[in-house]
Amino acid sequence: MALPQALENYRKQYRKIKLFQDISSVLHWDSEVMMPEEGREYRSNQIAAVAELTHEWMTDKSFLDLIQSAKETTKELPETQSTLWNRELEILMEEKEKADKLPSEFVSEFAKLTNLAHAEWAEAKKEKNFKMFSNRLEELVNLSKKQADYFGYTTEPYDALLDSYEKGAKANQIQILFSDLKNSLIPIVAKASKFESPFKKPIPIANQTKFCNRLPSILGLTTKESRLDISNHPFSTSLGKGDKRITTRYSETDPLSSIFGVLHETGHSLYESGLSKMPDWPNPLTEYLSLGIHESQSRLWENQVGRSLPFWEFMYPILLADFELKETEIPFQQFYKFINSTEKSKIRVEADQVTYNLHIILRFEIERDLINGKIKVKDLPEIWNSKMKESFGMTIENDAEGVLQDIHWSMGAFGYFPTYTLGNIFSAQFFKKFTEEFPDSHNKFSAKGDFSDLLSWLRKNIHSKGKTETIENLVLGATGEPANAKYLISYLEEKVKEVSISR
């Protein structure tokens, strides 16, 4: 059925903006995966120009007029249609009002600096020298503080940035949640076991690549709509309908790093793929709901699935074949226990699922104080190293394994880190509900590598909802109760117990 003209006009302009946002994503992806090193400076100008252009379109009064005309038109629609349209326009107006608070020149400067900062961060990390990146980071912190001022806040600047990733979240509430979680994790870590790596020789990158290339399609992300590449830091991005990009990184001495990187990023891309299958894509309701929900999808496939016994009962023979190993070289029980081993580590992306959230809590505390002006950029290495000693009992030897290990601050993504732990909380709750509704799912996982029931459940309860629901209502609708960290704690306790029992 044809839409009323006012709705058509609004959607046409919205989709023009979305199209150019996706073009920007292509530029970003290429700059991390394919672009020659000397193209960085000019690329940053290209990205800045597109960012400024889309921001101007979003904040232009003519677009507001189109939205208001569309809103008037919804009054003439049947209630079943007008409710959804009003939700769509409400979501868009929230985004527009936020965009309106940022001057175009600020948006351009931020986009340009973050693109330049990434290359400088990568070089500083390579050289293990924070001073090579500190001046640029100082600029990004100052810009982020300015961004918080533009957005406005009631209690603290960090809240304004956190809200961009997890709408409605407040730092003081996160602090309470994380404090309780930390207290629950400490005894679990104490009971957990460390297991020796079964990999006694390096695994060639070509063999790892062969295995990793299988994973997305096994989980449900076809090669027709995705591709896997290499980058400095694993990531995933959507370049538009039917075009999802995944990256990972390889280490011959740590082949599990690439595997779990692919599982994690495939989870993100499966969510984006599901969103792009929603009716009338693209529109403001077919975007991801929050980064906490986004992370729940990646962490679910990485941990609840990727570290499960049924998953590896199916994948283990394939891994042996691709890695050109014999079972005697890497016994299954030793392998399975190792992937669920718990050991305090320096690197977040390689942390086990039990200690992972301690890494997030550390970063949350540091970046909150940084944005709120309680600590200075120049003191970050010392503060980081001190907190690692306090929380993990570990001594940081160099900046690459310390304050420079994560990409996020070079992206200006302050407020992002807490969403990882929120995602862990959501993922455990979602997976628990799924297994209650599909009690035989583990048999399908192990016998056939069939994950279609899980993907269908996620499509129905998470992906197909987009932004039609609030975060609270989405979790309630999917699981029958509000978000609760007890499912994450229970999952981790059971996992530690499972692998500690001799088999």
Side-chain angles (χ1 to χ4, degrees), residues 97-284:
E97 287 169 4
K98 204 158 194 172
D100 286 343
K101 294 176 180 179
L102 300 178
S104 292
E105 58 271 20
F106 174 86
V107 172
S108 176
E109 182 183 8
F110 196 87
K112 182 176 181 178
L113 281 183
T114 51
N115 191 257
L116 290 172
H118 175 269
E120 294 170 0
W121 161 78
E123 185 63 22
K125 182 180 178 183
K126 180 181 176 182
E127 297 297 324
K128 304 176 183 179
N129 185 353
F130 178 72
K131 289 183 179 179
M132 294 174 62
F133 181 58
S134 60
N135 288 341
R136 185 68 76 189
L137 182 58
E138 183 85 53
E139 289 184 84
L140 290 175
V141 169
N142 289 336
L143 278 180
S144 296
K145 289 179 179 178
K146 187 181 290 187
Q147 185 180 54
D149 289 337
Y150 281 136
F151 286 153
Y153 52 87
T154 302
T155 306
E156 58 184 273
Y158 188 75
D159 280 347
L161 305 182
L162 180 62
D163 185 78
S164 296
Y165 300 106
E166 201 71 13
K167 185 171 176 56
K170 301 295 181 184
N172 59 351
Q173 297 169 340
I174 296 289
Q175 181 66 54
I176 295 170
L177 173 66
F178 283 8
S179 179
D180 291 343
L181 184 60
K182 187 175 183 178
N183 291 335
S184 297
L185 288 172
I186 290 172
I188 301 176
V189 174
K191 293 177 185 177
S193 301
K194 173 189 173 183
F195 298 100
E196 184 181 355
S197 172
F199 294 98
K200 306 304 180 185
K201 63 181 182 181
I203 305 298
I205 303 303
N207 298 64
Q208 295 184 50
T209 302
K210 183 178 182 181
F211 182 79
C212 285
N213 277 327
R214 298 180 187 275
L215 294 174
S217 58
I218 287 174
L219 301 188
L221 187 71
T222 69
T223 54
K224 289 184 177 181
E225 63 175 327
S226 67
R227 60 174 286 141
L228 173 63
D229 292 280
I230 300 172
S231 67
N232 196 312
H233 188 98
F235 72 94
S236 63
T237 186
S238 174
L239 306 187
K241 193 176 184 70
D243 190 355
K244 314 305 171 190
R245 306 296 174 96
I246 304 166
T247 73
T248 193
R249 61 187 177 196
Y250 295 95
S251 166
E252 290 191 343
T253 57
D254 183 15
L256 292 181
S257 177
S258 61
I259 292 171
F260 285 101
V262 172
L263 291 173
H264 180 97
E265 302 306 339
T266 297
H268 280 305
S269 285
L270 283 170
Y271 183 28
E272 290 288 346
S273 175
L275 291 170
S276 65
K277 291 176 172 59
M278 290 179 67
D280 297 325
W281 183 96
N283 70 67

